[in-house]
Amino acid sequence: MHDTPSRPRFPARIERLTADPASQAWALHGKAIAMQLAGREVCMLSVGDPDFDTPPSIGEAAWRALRAGRTHYPAIAGDTALRGAIAAHHRELSGSDCDPGQVQVFAGAQNALFMLMQALAGEGDEVIIADPYYATYPGVIAACGARMRALDTRDSGWHLTAAGIAAALTPATRVVLLNSPSNPCGVITPAEEVERIVELCRRQQLWLVADEVYGELMFEGGFHSVWRHHAEHDRIVVIGSASKRFAMTGWRLGWCLAPPDLIVRLKALATAGLFGTPPFLQDALAEALTAPPAEAEAMRREYAERARTVLAALDHCPGLQPIVPSAGMFVSIDLSGHALDGTAFAEALLADEAVALMPGIAFGESLRQGLRLSLVAPRPRLAEACAAIRRVASRWATAAAEA
């Protein structure tokens, strides 16, 4: 009897998923948590989990739904009331028509992103994204077997451009993933650039997936949602979330807007991998969207003030250049003026000052010499963290001058 040939224990796409170059960066966050558990006070600015509680009116709506028995199997695409609330919300936000039948509810925007990549890309396909990028993008692209094409955006204002996308196109290109306002930089793709990207995707018959979860955390002015162009191009998808606007990260509620033929396929994926989200949570989100609590606007204003605090505290720090955000809950810091490695700097900051930031490599090669600071602490605490950043930078500059 012949020996059976060696069979791989796991499929190649899963091995690609686990070979994450940002693992060292996430290991640093784990180290910070371990320090906390050991009793050391650590200023945790590494992840984007709001320090605000979910507004009470949202929690009360969930309790009312629980008491009303809203605990049975849900509608897979999302409850009728919630889909209607999401559609109305995006009609107001984008100024463009949106029908409840164009809405699919998921267990968070991350789940929506994963399901969308499963539906739109596969082995041999390419997905174009900006670098720097949200840290989970490589994983969701690898999980569907596609290849990621990350375009360096340092010379284009830290956002994608139609010209950059056009230069990167290959016959394998299938999806453009646009994150605006962006994580980690908080940069908004200008409206005229969005229009050029939409037109390019229309001509090339590419899917354009717009991750707009920070669109309602603009510091000033309104937001140009890609959804306003969905009548021009029938391969536009928009991802939304309750997590940051309403401080509902743990509730795991998100959604996407998509053309009806894609909704049919997303519903099939949701049936296979999710089977809907809890009805009592959906009711709470519908309430939040229909009657937004005052706390949501207060949080938006506070993030803007916190960003200004950080930018002022790091102003004129030699070798450090904050990337000025226009939205969101992060400030990224470019260390290239010092030729510093972001991971080494973050490790020194944690060890010497007990301040945890995320090394930039977690978000792509273009931010290797950088950091991301999460605006998830009161302004005085953020000012203290920035003073610690300046101290570490000063020590490194002195050591480099003496070398």
Side-chain angles (χ1 to χ4, degrees):
M1 183 177 179
H2 298 291
D3 290 339
T4 301
S6 176
R7 293 191 178 96
R9 187 171 176 83
F10 302 106
R13 59 186 170 81
I14 295 299
E15 297 299 72
R16 289 197 299 269
L17 179 62
T18 54
D20 184 357
S23 58
Q24 186 178 1
W26 289 103
L28 187 140
H29 174 67
K31 186 184 298 184
I33 293 174
M35 288 170 61
Q36 279 188 323
L37 293 174
R40 186 170 182 185
E41 183 178 351
V42 178
C43 183
M44 295 291 289
L45 306 178
S46 45
V47 296
D49 194 357
D51 56 319
F52 306 110
D53 291 329
T54 304
S57 62
I58 299 175
E60 289 163 6
W63 276 116
R64 287 198 302 273
L66 274 169
R67 289 194 293 269
R70 293 278 288 150
T71 58
H72 298 277
Y73 279 133
I76 302 299
D79 189 76
T80 299
L82 177 55
R83 295 173 86 194
I86 291 170
H89 169 70
H90 281 278
R91 281 196 296 272
E92 180 179 355
L93 186 67
S94 69
S96 184
D97 185 53
C98 184
D99 186 89
Q102 295 170 298
V103 177
Q104 170 70 48
V105 178
F106 288 104
Q110 183 62 46
N111 182 234
L113 181 62
F114 180 88
M115 294 294 195
L116 279 164
M117 288 300 107
Q118 293 294 319
L120 299 180
E123 293 289 341
D125 293 330
E126 290 182 349
V127 179
I128 290 179
I129 66 172
D131 184 339
Y133 45 73
Y134 178 48
T136 69
Y137 286 177
V140 295
I141 293 169
C144 72
R147 294 190 300 271
M148 178 179 75
R149 292 286 303 274
L151 308 187
D152 192 322
T153 59
R154 282 175 284 191
D155 294 332
S156 61
W158 303 96
H159 63 78
L160 285 175
T161 65
I165 295 168
L169 292 177
T170 74
T173 307
R174 186 168 177 82
V175 180
V176 174
L177 176 52
L178 177 67
N179 180 207
S180 176
S182 67
N183 178 1
C185 296
V187 169
I188 298 164
T189 306
E192 60 273 16
E193 196 64 62
V194 169
E195 292 170 1
R196 286 191 285 266
I197 291 171
V198 169
E199 176 57 19
L200 173 66
C201 290
R202 186 194 65 78
R203 291 197 314 267
Q204 297 293 330
Q205 299 182 48
L206 301 173
W207 283 97
L208 177 57
V209 177
D211 179 348
E212 297 184 351
V213 301
Y214 293 101
E216 289 166 277
L217 289 182
M218 296 274 292
F219 297 159
E220 295 179 358
F223 175 61
H224 186 97
S225 172
V226 173
W227 188 251
R228 69 173 60 186
H229 301 287
H230 76 96
E232 305 161 27
H233 179 39
D234 66 356
R235 298 191 187 191
I236 281 178
V237 183
V238 168
I239 298 173
S241 172
S243 289
K244 306 304 169 68
R245 182 190 181 197
F246 297 122
M248 294 174 69
T249 49
W251 294 62
R252 309 315 305 136
L253 287 169
W255 60 86
C256 77
L257 313 180
D261 58 345
L262 177 54
I263 291 292
V264 169
R265 287 153 177 82
L266 290 172
K267 184 177 178 181
L269 278 166
T271 302
L274 178 64
F275 217 77
T277 55
F280 61 93
L281 299 185
Q282 292 192 49
D283 288 355
L285 177 55
E287 169 108 356
L289 289 170
T290 303
E295 292 91 340
E297 174 60 15
M299 288 186 283
R300 185 196 64 79
R301 291 196 302 267
E302 178 60 19
Y303 284 131
E305 289 300 325
R306 290 178 179 186
R308 284 190 273 271
T309 294
V310 168
L311 294 173
L314 295 178
D315 192 29
H316 301 303
C317 183
L320 271 65
Q321 183 60 55
I323 300 169
V324 179
S326 297
M329 52 190 297
F330 307 104
V331 174
S332 289
I333 305 166
D334 183 3
L335 305 172
S336 58
H338 269 313
L340 297 178
D341 175 78
T343 300
F345 190 97
E347 288 175 345
L349 185 66
L350 181 61
D352 299 345
E353 303 283 350
V355 174
L357 269 60
M358 190 64 78
I361 189 60
F363 312 100
E365 189 62 34
S366 67
L367 207 58
R368 176 181 289 274
Q369 292 179 309
L371 305 162
R372 189 194 72 175
L373 181 153
S374 297
L375 301 170
V376 293
R379 281 175 258 172
R381 191 76 170 113
L382 290 172
E384 292 170 4
C386 290
I389 292 169
R390 296 183 74 107
R391 288 193 294 271
V392 173
S394 177
R395 288 197 292 269
W396 280 41
T398 300
E402 296 174 349

mmCIF file of all heavy atoms in Angstrom, residues 71-118:
data_model
loop_
_atom_site.group_PDB
_atom_site.id
_atom_site.type_symbol
_atom_site.label_atom_id
_atom_site.label_comp_id
_atom_site.label_asym_id
_atom_site.label_seq_id
_atom_site.Cartn_x
_atom_site.Cartn_y
_atom_site.Cartn_z
ATOM 1 N N THR A 71 -36.969 38.573 20.771
ATOM 2 C CA THR A 71 -35.806 37.700 20.980
ATOM 3 C C THR A 71 -35.834 36.470 20.081
ATOM 4 O O THR A 71 -35.074 35.519 20.315
ATOM 5 C CB THR A 71 -35.755 37.243 22.456
ATOM 6 O OG1 THR A 71 -36.986 36.568 22.779
ATOM 7 C CG2 THR A 71 -35.554 38.422 23.394
ATOM 8 N N HIS A 72 -36.662 36.476 19.060
ATOM 9 C CA HIS A 72 -36.788 35.310 18.193
ATOM 10 C C HIS A 72 -35.931 35.487 16.942
ATOM 11 O O HIS A 72 -35.210 36.483 16.781
ATOM 12 C CB HIS A 72 -38.257 35.074 17.855
ATOM 13 C CG HIS A 72 -39.088 34.783 19.069
ATOM 14 N ND1 HIS A 72 -39.180 33.522 19.631
ATOM 15 C CD2 HIS A 72 -39.840 35.604 19.861
ATOM 16 C CE1 HIS A 72 -39.962 33.565 20.691
ATOM 17 N NE2 HIS A 72 -40.375 34.817 20.856
ATOM 18 N N TYR A 73 -36.001 34.514 16.035
ATOM 19 C CA TYR A 73 -35.224 34.613 14.806
ATOM 20 C C TYR A 73 -35.521 35.929 14.083
ATOM 21 O O TYR A 73 -36.681 36.331 13.963
ATOM 22 C CB TYR A 73 -35.540 33.450 13.863
ATOM 23 C CG TYR A 73 -34.831 32.164 14.183
ATOM 24 C CD1 TYR A 73 -35.536 30.960 14.214
ATOM 25 C CD2 TYR A 73 -33.465 32.138 14.426
ATOM 26 C CE1 TYR A 73 -34.893 29.762 14.491
ATOM 27 C CE2 TYR A 73 -32.807 30.952 14.700
ATOM 28 C CZ TYR A 73 -33.531 29.763 14.732
ATOM 29 O OH TYR A 73 -32.881 28.584 15.004
ATOM 30 N N PRO A 74 -34.488 36.565 13.565
ATOM 31 C CA PRO A 74 -34.703 37.831 12.853
ATOM 32 C C PRO A 74 -34.925 37.618 11.365
ATOM 33 O O PRO A 74 -34.703 36.532 10.826
ATOM 34 C CB PRO A 74 -33.367 38.555 13.078
ATOM 35 C CG PRO A 74 -32.364 37.421 13.067
ATOM 36 C CD PRO A 74 -33.057 36.245 13.716
ATOM 37 N N ALA A 75 -35.334 38.683 10.690
ATOM 38 C CA ALA A 75 -35.310 38.696 9.232
ATOM 39 C C ALA A 75 -33.848 38.741 8.797
ATOM 40 O O ALA A 75 -33.072 39.539 9.318
ATOM 41 C CB ALA A 75 -36.057 39.912 8.705
ATOM 42 N N ILE A 76 -33.445 37.886 7.871
ATOM 43 C CA ILE A 76 -32.036 37.754 7.504
ATOM 44 C C ILE A 76 -31.473 39.058 6.949
ATOM 45 O O ILE A 76 -30.346 39.459 7.265
ATOM 46 C CB ILE A 76 -31.836 36.626 6.474
ATOM 47 C CG1 ILE A 76 -32.356 35.287 7.035
ATOM 48 C CG2 ILE A 76 -30.372 36.496 6.083
ATOM 49 C CD1 ILE A 76 -31.666 34.824 8.290
ATOM 50 N N ALA A 77 -32.226 39.757 6.135
ATOM 51 C CA ALA A 77 -31.740 41.004 5.542
ATOM 52 C C ALA A 77 -31.791 42.165 6.524
ATOM 53 O O ALA A 77 -31.171 43.206 6.293
ATOM 54 C CB ALA A 77 -32.547 41.354 4.299
ATOM 55 N N GLY A 78 -32.495 41.994 7.632
ATOM 56 C CA GLY A 78 -32.708 43.059 8.597
ATOM 57 C C GLY A 78 -34.192 43.328 8.738
ATOM 58 O O GLY A 78 -34.975 43.157 7.798
ATOM 59 N N ASP A 79 -34.587 43.750 9.918
ATOM 60 C CA ASP A 79 -35.991 44.032 10.181
ATOM 61 C C ASP A 79 -36.490 45.170 9.286
ATOM 62 O O ASP A 79 -35.742 46.097 8.946
ATOM 63 C CB ASP A 79 -36.157 44.411 11.652
ATOM 64 C CG ASP A 79 -37.605 44.513 12.062
ATOM 65 O OD1 ASP A 79 -38.230 43.463 12.247
ATOM 66 O OD2 ASP A 79 -38.112 45.659 12.168
ATOM 67 N N THR A 80 -37.756 45.099 8.911
ATOM 68 C CA THR A 80 -38.329 46.098 8.006
ATOM 69 C C THR A 80 -38.160 47.512 8.549
ATOM 70 O O THR A 80 -37.800 48.441 7.809
ATOM 71 C CB THR A 80 -39.820 45.808 7.775
ATOM 72 O OG1 THR A 80 -39.949 44.514 7.183
ATOM 73 C CG2 THR A 80 -40.449 46.848 6.869
ATOM 74 N N ALA A 81 -38.412 47.706 9.836
ATOM 75 C CA ALA A 81 -38.308 49.047 10.422
ATOM 76 C C ALA A 81 -36.877 49.562 10.360
ATOM 77 O O ALA A 81 -36.648 50.752 10.053
ATOM 78 C CB ALA A 81 -38.808 49.021 11.868
ATOM 79 N N LEU A 82 -35.907 48.688 10.637
ATOM 80 C CA LEU A 82 -34.517 49.129 10.612
ATOM 81 C C LEU A 82 -34.053 49.434 9.196
ATOM 82 O O LEU A 82 -33.398 50.442 8.943
ATOM 83 C CB LEU A 82 -33.599 48.082 11.248
ATOM 84 C CG LEU A 82 -32.102 48.425 11.214
ATOM 85 C CD1 LEU A 82 -31.830 49.787 11.848
ATOM 86 C CD2 LEU A 82 -31.282 47.337 11.901
ATOM 87 N N ARG A 83 -34.396 48.573 8.256
ATOM 88 C CA ARG A 83 -33.989 48.844 6.873
ATOM 89 C C ARG A 83 -34.604 50.154 6.370
ATOM 90 O O ARG A 83 -33.968 50.927 5.654
ATOM 91 C CB ARG A 83 -34.395 47.682 5.963
ATOM 92 C CG ARG A 83 -33.681 46.382 6.286
ATOM 93 C CD ARG A 83 -34.240 45.235 5.473
ATOM 94 N NE ARG A 83 -33.610 45.128 4.164
ATOM 95 C CZ ARG A 83 -34.106 44.392 3.176
ATOM 96 N NH1 ARG A 83 -35.251 43.738 3.335
ATOM 97 N NH2 ARG A 83 -33.468 44.313 2.026
ATOM 98 N N GLY A 84 -35.833 50.404 6.780
ATOM 99 C CA GLY A 84 -36.466 51.667 6.412
ATOM 100 C C GLY A 84 -35.761 52.862 7.029
ATOM 101 O O GLY A 84 -35.575 53.897 6.374
ATOM 102 N N ALA A 85 -35.336 52.726 8.302
ATOM 103 C CA ALA A 85 -34.639 53.816 8.982
ATOM 104 C C ALA A 85 -33.273 54.070 8.344
ATOM 105 O O ALA A 85 -32.850 55.224 8.192
ATOM 106 C CB ALA A 85 -34.487 53.489 10.469
ATOM 107 N N ILE A 86 -32.586 52.985 7.981
ATOM 108 C CA ILE A 86 -31.277 53.136 7.332
ATOM 109 C C ILE A 86 -31.435 53.800 5.974
ATOM 110 O O ILE A 86 -30.671 54.706 5.611
ATOM 111 C CB ILE A 86 -30.594 51.762 7.199
ATOM 112 C CG1 ILE A 86 -30.189 51.228 8.580
ATOM 113 C CG2 ILE A 86 -29.361 51.852 6.281
ATOM 114 C CD1 ILE A 86 -29.728 49.782 8.569
ATOM 115 N N ALA A 87 -32.422 53.372 5.203
ATOM 116 C CA ALA A 87 -32.658 53.960 3.881
ATOM 117 C C ALA A 87 -32.979 55.452 4.005
ATOM 118 O O ALA A 87 -32.436 56.280 3.252
ATOM 119 C CB ALA A 87 -33.789 53.225 3.168
ATOM 120 N N ALA A 88 -33.845 55.811 4.947
ATOM 121 C CA ALA A 88 -34.201 57.221 5.133
ATOM 122 C C ALA A 88 -32.982 58.030 5.561
ATOM 123 O O ALA A 88 -32.783 59.171 5.102
ATOM 124 C CB ALA A 88 -35.313 57.341 6.183
ATOM 125 N N HIS A 89 -32.178 57.440 6.418
ATOM 126 C CA HIS A 89 -30.967 58.109 6.890
ATOM 127 C C HIS A 89 -30.027 58.418 5.724
ATOM 128 O O HIS A 89 -29.489 59.525 5.617
ATOM 129 C CB HIS A 89 -30.285 57.202 7.915
ATOM 130 C CG HIS A 89 -28.917 57.632 8.301
ATOM 131 N ND1 HIS A 89 -28.679 58.757 9.055
ATOM 132 C CD2 HIS A 89 -27.700 57.097 8.021
ATOM 133 C CE1 HIS A 89 -27.381 58.899 9.228
ATOM 134 N NE2 HIS A 89 -26.767 57.912 8.615
ATOM 135 N N HIS A 90 -29.827 57.465 4.835
ATOM 136 C CA HIS A 90 -28.907 57.677 3.721
ATOM 137 C C HIS A 90 -29.510 58.565 2.632
ATOM 138 O O HIS A 90 -28.762 59.235 1.917
ATOM 139 C CB HIS A 90 -28.443 56.337 3.152
ATOM 140 C CG HIS A 90 -27.363 55.703 3.971
ATOM 141 N ND1 HIS A 90 -26.042 56.056 3.854
ATOM 142 C CD2 HIS A 90 -27.415 54.774 4.960
ATOM 143 C CE1 HIS A 90 -25.322 55.361 4.711
ATOM 144 N NE2 HIS A 90 -26.133 54.572 5.395
ATOM 145 N N ARG A 91 -30.836 58.588 2.516
ATOM 146 C CA ARG A 91 -31.451 59.557 1.603
ATOM 147 C C ARG A 91 -31.126 60.975 2.051
ATOM 148 O O ARG A 91 -30.772 61.842 1.251
ATOM 149 C CB ARG A 91 -32.972 59.354 1.540
ATOM 150 C CG ARG A 91 -33.414 58.198 0.668
ATOM 151 C CD ARG A 91 -34.904 58.292 0.347
ATOM 152 N NE ARG A 91 -35.754 58.175 1.525
ATOM 153 C CZ ARG A 91 -36.204 57.029 2.020
ATOM 154 N NH1 ARG A 91 -35.881 55.878 1.434
ATOM 155 N NH2 ARG A 91 -36.981 57.015 3.088
ATOM 156 N N GLU A 92 -31.224 61.208 3.358
ATOM 157 C CA GLU A 92 -30.929 62.531 3.900
ATOM 158 C C GLU A 92 -29.435 62.844 3.792
ATOM 159 O O GLU A 92 -29.037 63.961 3.440
ATOM 160 C CB GLU A 92 -31.381 62.612 5.362
ATOM 161 C CG GLU A 92 -31.118 63.960 6.011
ATOM 162 C CD GLU A 92 -31.599 64.018 7.450
ATOM 163 O OE1 GLU A 92 -32.215 63.036 7.921
ATOM 164 O OE2 GLU A 92 -31.360 65.053 8.098
ATOM 165 N N LEU A 93 -28.604 61.851 4.085
ATOM 166 C CA LEU A 93 -27.153 62.062 4.095
ATOM 167 C C LEU A 93 -26.607 62.320 2.701
ATOM 168 O O LEU A 93 -25.740 63.186 2.505
ATOM 169 C CB LEU A 93 -26.462 60.842 4.709
ATOM 170 C CG LEU A 93 -24.953 60.929 4.945
ATOM 171 C CD1 LEU A 93 -24.645 61.961 6.023
ATOM 172 C CD2 LEU A 93 -24.405 59.563 5.367
ATOM 173 N N SER A 94 -27.097 61.575 1.717
ATOM 174 C CA SER A 94 -26.517 61.645 0.375
ATOM 175 C C SER A 94 -27.298 62.531 -0.581
ATOM 176 O O SER A 94 -26.771 62.922 -1.634
ATOM 177 C CB SER A 94 -26.437 60.232 -0.226
ATOM 178 O OG SER A 94 -27.728 59.722 -0.506
ATOM 179 N N GLY A 95 -28.565 62.802 -0.267
ATOM 180 C CA GLY A 95 -29.401 63.543 -1.197
ATOM 181 C C GLY A 95 -29.826 62.721 -2.387
ATOM 182 O O GLY A 95 -30.293 63.255 -3.392
ATOM 183 N N SER A 96 -29.685 61.401 -2.278
ATOM 184 C CA SER A 96 -30.032 60.495 -3.375
ATOM 185 C C SER A 96 -31.000 59.443 -2.878
ATOM 186 O O SER A 96 -30.995 59.071 -1.700
ATOM 187 C CB SER A 96 -28.766 59.836 -3.928
ATOM 188 O OG SER A 96 -29.052 59.023 -5.043
ATOM 189 N N ASP A 97 -31.819 58.927 -3.765
ATOM 190 C CA ASP A 97 -32.825 57.949 -3.387
ATOM 191 C C ASP A 97 -32.186 56.683 -2.826
ATOM 192 O O ASP A 97 -31.123 56.244 -3.286
ATOM 193 C CB ASP A 97 -33.688 57.585 -4.596
ATOM 194 C CG ASP A 97 -34.826 56.653 -4.223
ATOM 195 O OD1 ASP A 97 -35.581 56.993 -3.289
ATOM 196 O OD2 ASP A 97 -34.937 55.580 -4.848
ATOM 197 N N CYS A 98 -32.845 56.127 -1.825
ATOM 198 C CA CYS A 98 -32.404 54.846 -1.261
ATOM 199 C C CYS A 98 -33.646 54.082 -0.809
ATOM 200 O O CYS A 98 -34.463 54.603 -0.048
ATOM 201 C CB CYS A 98 -31.463 55.063 -0.080
ATOM 202 S SG CYS A 98 -30.780 53.521 0.587
ATOM 203 N N ASP A 99 -33.763 52.873 -1.288
ATOM 204 C CA ASP A 99 -34.918 52.045 -0.984
ATOM 205 C C ASP A 99 -34.543 51.023 0.091
ATOM 206 O O ASP A 99 -33.408 50.533 0.108
ATOM 207 C CB ASP A 99 -35.376 51.314 -2.255
ATOM 208 C CG ASP A 99 -36.657 50.550 -2.026
ATOM 209 O OD1 ASP A 99 -37.725 51.136 -2.210
ATOM 210 O OD2 ASP A 99 -36.570 49.358 -1.663
ATOM 211 N N PRO A 100 -35.449 50.677 1.016
ATOM 212 C CA PRO A 100 -35.129 49.648 2.010
ATOM 213 C C PRO A 100 -34.662 48.339 1.384
ATOM 214 O O PRO A 100 -33.877 47.599 1.994
ATOM 215 C CB PRO A 100 -36.448 49.470 2.764
ATOM 216 C CG PRO A 100 -37.139 50.786 2.627
ATOM 217 C CD PRO A 100 -36.782 51.281 1.259
ATOM 218 N N GLY A 101 -35.107 48.035 0.154
ATOM 219 C CA GLY A 101 -34.666 46.821 -0.524
ATOM 220 C C GLY A 101 -33.218 46.862 -0.951
ATOM 221 O O GLY A 101 -32.664 45.841 -1.389
ATOM 222 N N GLN A 102 -32.567 48.022 -0.821
ATOM 223 C CA GLN A 102 -31.145 48.156 -1.132
ATOM 224 C C GLN A 102 -30.272 48.073 0.120
ATOM 225 O O GLN A 102 -29.087 48.378 0.065
ATOM 226 C CB GLN A 102 -30.899 49.494 -1.842
ATOM 227 C CG GLN A 102 -31.563 49.592 -3.211
ATOM 228 C CD GLN A 102 -31.499 50.994 -3.776
ATOM 229 O OE1 GLN A 102 -32.038 51.957 -3.214
ATOM 230 N NE2 GLN A 102 -30.842 51.131 -4.920
ATOM 231 N N VAL A 103 -30.871 47.652 1.233
ATOM 232 C CA VAL A 103 -30.173 47.599 2.518
ATOM 233 C C VAL A 103 -30.030 46.156 2.987
ATOM 234 O O VAL A 103 -31.000 45.385 2.946
ATOM 235 C CB VAL A 103 -30.926 48.413 3.595
ATOM 236 C CG1 VAL A 103 -30.232 48.298 4.945
ATOM 237 C CG2 VAL A 103 -31.058 49.876 3.171
ATOM 238 N N GLN A 104 -28.843 45.796 3.459
ATOM 239 C CA GLN A 104 -28.603 44.513 4.133
ATOM 240 C C GLN A 104 -27.931 44.813 5.461
ATOM 241 O O GLN A 104 -26.920 45.524 5.519
ATOM 242 C CB GLN A 104 -27.713 43.605 3.289
ATOM 243 C CG GLN A 104 -27.220 42.347 4.000
ATOM 244 C CD GLN A 104 -28.326 41.332 4.269
ATOM 245 O OE1 GLN A 104 -29.101 41.007 3.387
ATOM 246 N NE2 GLN A 104 -28.376 40.831 5.496
ATOM 247 N N VAL A 105 -28.488 44.288 6.536
ATOM 248 C CA VAL A 105 -27.970 44.508 7.886
ATOM 249 C C VAL A 105 -27.003 43.390 8.245
ATOM 250 O O VAL A 105 -27.235 42.220 7.931
ATOM 251 C CB VAL A 105 -29.125 44.584 8.910
ATOM 252 C CG1 VAL A 105 -28.587 44.754 10.328
ATOM 253 C CG2 VAL A 105 -30.071 45.733 8.552
ATOM 254 N N PHE A 106 -25.907 43.774 8.918
ATOM 255 C CA PHE A 106 -24.886 42.801 9.312
ATOM 256 C C PHE A 106 -24.512 42.994 10.777
ATOM 257 O O PHE A 106 -24.914 43.963 11.419
ATOM 258 C CB PHE A 106 -23.622 42.975 8.457
ATOM 259 C CG PHE A 106 -23.781 42.522 7.034
ATOM 260 C CD1 PHE A 106 -23.922 43.446 6.015
ATOM 261 C CD2 PHE A 106 -23.771 41.177 6.719
ATOM 262 C CE1 PHE A 106 -24.057 43.038 4.694
ATOM 263 C CE2 PHE A 106 -23.904 40.750 5.402
ATOM 264 C CZ PHE A 106 -24.042 41.685 4.389
ATOM 265 N N ALA A 107 -23.692 42.075 11.285
ATOM 266 C CA ALA A 107 -23.189 42.163 12.654
ATOM 267 C C ALA A 107 -21.952 43.054 12.663
ATOM 268 O O ALA A 107 -20.823 42.617 12.890
ATOM 269 C CB ALA A 107 -22.853 40.777 13.196
ATOM 270 N N GLY A 108 -22.151 44.329 12.377
ATOM 271 C CA GLY A 108 -21.058 45.287 12.343
ATOM 272 C C GLY A 108 -20.559 45.537 10.929
ATOM 273 O O GLY A 108 -20.740 44.720 10.019
ATOM 274 N N ALA A 109 -19.905 46.678 10.737
ATOM 275 C CA ALA A 109 -19.339 47.007 9.432
ATOM 276 C C ALA A 109 -18.252 46.014 9.035
ATOM 277 O O ALA A 109 -18.064 45.743 7.846
ATOM 278 C CB ALA A 109 -18.777 48.428 9.459
ATOM 279 N N GLN A 110 -17.549 45.474 10.024
ATOM 280 C CA GLN A 110 -16.515 44.486 9.701
ATOM 281 C C GLN A 110 -17.129 43.239 9.053
ATOM 282 O O GLN A 110 -16.609 42.713 8.071
ATOM 283 C CB GLN A 110 -15.756 44.089 10.973
ATOM 284 C CG GLN A 110 -14.612 43.117 10.747
ATOM 285 C CD GLN A 110 -13.538 43.697 9.850
ATOM 286 O OE1 GLN A 110 -13.133 44.829 10.027
ATOM 287 N NE2 GLN A 110 -13.080 42.930 8.880
ATOM 288 N N ASN A 111 -18.232 42.789 9.585
ATOM 289 C CA ASN A 111 -18.932 41.652 9.008
ATOM 290 C C ASN A 111 -19.442 41.982 7.609
ATOM 291 O O ASN A 111 -19.371 41.158 6.684
ATOM 292 C CB ASN A 111 -20.081 41.248 9.933
ATOM 293 C CG ASN A 111 -20.849 40.040 9.450
ATOM 294 O OD1 ASN A 111 -22.059 40.090 9.306
ATOM 295 N ND2 ASN A 111 -20.163 38.937 9.205
ATOM 296 N N ALA A 112 -19.938 43.210 7.427
ATOM 297 C CA ALA A 112 -20.391 43.653 6.104
ATOM 298 C C ALA A 112 -19.241 43.619 5.113
ATOM 299 O O ALA A 112 -19.391 43.139 3.974
ATOM 300 C CB ALA A 112 -20.976 45.057 6.193
ATOM 301 N N LEU A 113 -18.085 44.111 5.524
ATOM 302 C CA LEU A 113 -16.918 44.135 4.650
ATOM 303 C C LEU A 113 -16.487 42.722 4.268
ATOM 304 O O LEU A 113 -16.182 42.427 3.106
ATOM 305 C CB LEU A 113 -15.782 44.870 5.360
ATOM 306 C CG LEU A 113 -14.471 45.029 4.613
ATOM 307 C CD1 LEU A 113 -14.652 45.853 3.352
ATOM 308 C CD2 LEU A 113 -13.434 45.689 5.524
ATOM 309 N N PHE A 114 -16.472 41.827 5.239
ATOM 310 C CA PHE A 114 -16.090 40.435 4.979
ATOM 311 C C PHE A 114 -17.046 39.801 3.972
ATOM 312 O O PHE A 114 -16.615 39.171 2.988
ATOM 313 C CB PHE A 114 -16.100 39.654 6.290
ATOM 314 C CG PHE A 114 -15.708 38.206 6.135
ATOM 315 C CD1 PHE A 114 -14.389 37.819 6.203
ATOM 316 C CD2 PHE A 114 -16.677 37.231 5.924
ATOM 317 C CE1 PHE A 114 -14.014 36.482 6.054
ATOM 318 C CE2 PHE A 114 -16.327 35.900 5.770
ATOM 319 C CZ PHE A 114 -14.990 35.527 5.835
ATOM 320 N N MET A 115 -18.341 39.956 4.197
ATOM 321 C CA MET A 115 -19.325 39.353 3.298
ATOM 322 C C MET A 115 -19.244 39.959 1.896
ATOM 323 O O MET A 115 -19.385 39.250 0.895
ATOM 324 C CB MET A 115 -20.729 39.529 3.872
ATOM 325 C CG MET A 115 -20.977 38.786 5.167
ATOM 326 S SD MET A 115 -20.936 36.985 4.966
ATOM 327 C CE MET A 115 -21.690 36.458 6.513
ATOM 328 N N LEU A 116 -19.003 41.251 1.823
ATOM 329 C CA LEU A 116 -18.896 41.894 0.516
ATOM 330 C C LEU A 116 -17.708 41.362 -0.274
ATOM 331 O O LEU A 116 -17.813 41.109 -1.477
ATOM 332 C CB LEU A 116 -18.777 43.412 0.686
ATOM 333 C CG LEU A 116 -20.087 44.146 0.927
ATOM 334 C CD1 LEU A 116 -19.842 45.540 1.459
ATOM 335 C CD2 LEU A 116 -20.904 44.200 -0.357
ATOM 336 N N MET A 117 -16.578 41.194 0.388
ATOM 337 C CA MET A 117 -15.418 40.659 -0.326
ATOM 338 C C MET A 117 -15.687 39.227 -0.784
ATOM 339 O O MET A 117 -15.275 38.824 -1.877
ATOM 340 C CB MET A 117 -14.178 40.718 0.556
ATOM 341 C CG MET A 117 -13.638 42.119 0.774
ATOM 342 S SD MET A 117 -13.152 42.979 -0.744
ATOM 343 C CE MET A 117 -14.489 44.164 -0.904
ATOM 344 N N GLN A 118 -16.411 38.463 0.024
ATOM 345 C CA GLN A 118 -16.766 37.105 -0.384
ATOM 346 C C GLN A 118 -17.661 37.129 -1.625
ATOM 347 O O GLN A 118 -17.560 36.272 -2.503
ATOM 348 C CB GLN A 118 -17.490 36.378 0.755
ATOM 349 C CG GLN A 118 -16.634 36.092 1.980
ATOM 350 C CD GLN A 118 -15.526 35.103 1.707
ATOM 351 O OE1 GLN A 118 -15.720 34.107 1.009
ATOM 352 N NE2 GLN A 118 -14.344 35.377 2.254
#
